[in-house]
Amino acid sequence: FNFATHNMARFFAVAALAALASQGVTAVGGSRTEAVRKMIAAKNLAAAGLPDPTCAMGVISVKDGDTPQACCAGYCGECSDYPTCATVRGQNSTFACCKSQVLKQECGKGSPANVCLKKCAEAVPPCIMEDGKIFSTPEPSARTAGTDCNEAVSAWRAKADAAVNPPPPP
């Protein structure tokens, strides 16, 4: 009986199981991971006392007529009056995920002060978006950090090299 061989076989078995498990979690839980990320980010913003005026940490509703857009909580998945919006993840999410209910809770529109929802310029999701402005998702072809990632790395390395090895004075 060779302990080194036995331990190596155990290591590869655990590594293979971990790889299979991570592939399954990624395929099934991708949207849940995004929802958790948004929820944690929203809690951090709230703890810091910072608002979310563009609904980056929530889910924005589609513009519908003259009514303002709602910004639902990040875990909702979508911000509309879909059939299960009141019970997302088995909890009462009526005033966090149902667009019509979120809009009814707006401060100054008859909702009690202890449960009313502020404008997103003052609060985190769920909140009410600014009137008169249509918010949407970014254009898919828009330039992002990911589009020039490799160029940014080489530019940073050149700057770091210049800082460590400055050119000789003229």
Side-chain angles (χ1 to χ4, degrees):
F1 183 76
N2 186 343
F3 284 108
T5 306
H6 178 71
N7 285 339
M8 187 70 79
R10 231 161 105 197
F11 170 78
F12 283 118
V14 169
L17 286 174
L20 289 174
S22 68
Q23 287 176 355
V25 170
T26 303
V28 174
S31 62
R32 184 173 182 154
T33 303
E34 179 67 14
V36 169
R37 184 195 66 76
K38 284 186 172 188
M39 188 171 59
I40 291 170
K43 284 182 180 181
N44 290 339
L45 278 178
L50 300 173
D52 185 11
T54 60
C55 193
M57 300 303 132
V59 181
I60 196 163
S61 69
V62 175
K63 181 69 174 164
D64 184 25
D66 293 336
T67 60
Q69 288 175 279
C71 178
C72 296
Y75 64 84
C76 297
E78 69 178 88
C79 189
S80 65
D81 291 321
Y82 57 99
T84 59
C85 70
T87 57
V88 174
R89 295 190 183 166
Q91 64 185 7
N92 181 3
S93 57
T94 304
F95 301 113
C97 298
C98 299
K99 176 186 173 184
S100 61
Q101 296 299 318
V102 168
L103 292 173
K104 284 181 186 177
Q105 293 293 105
E106 185 175 359
C107 291
K109 304 275 174 118
S111 186
N114 63 335
V115 293
C116 73
L117 297 175
K118 296 179 181 179
K119 297 278 188 187
C120 293
E122 306 169 30
V124 294
C127 53
I128 313 298
M129 299 301 290
E130 183 182 332
D131 290 333
K133 191 171 179 185
I134 299 174
F135 296 88
S136 63
T137 57
E139 185 68 32
S141 62
R143 183 172 179 241
T144 63
T147 58
D148 69 344
C149 183
N150 291 333
E151 295 169 22
V153 169
S154 61
W156 182 88
R157 286 186 179 154
K159 289 178 184 177
D161 188 44
V164 172
N165 303 316

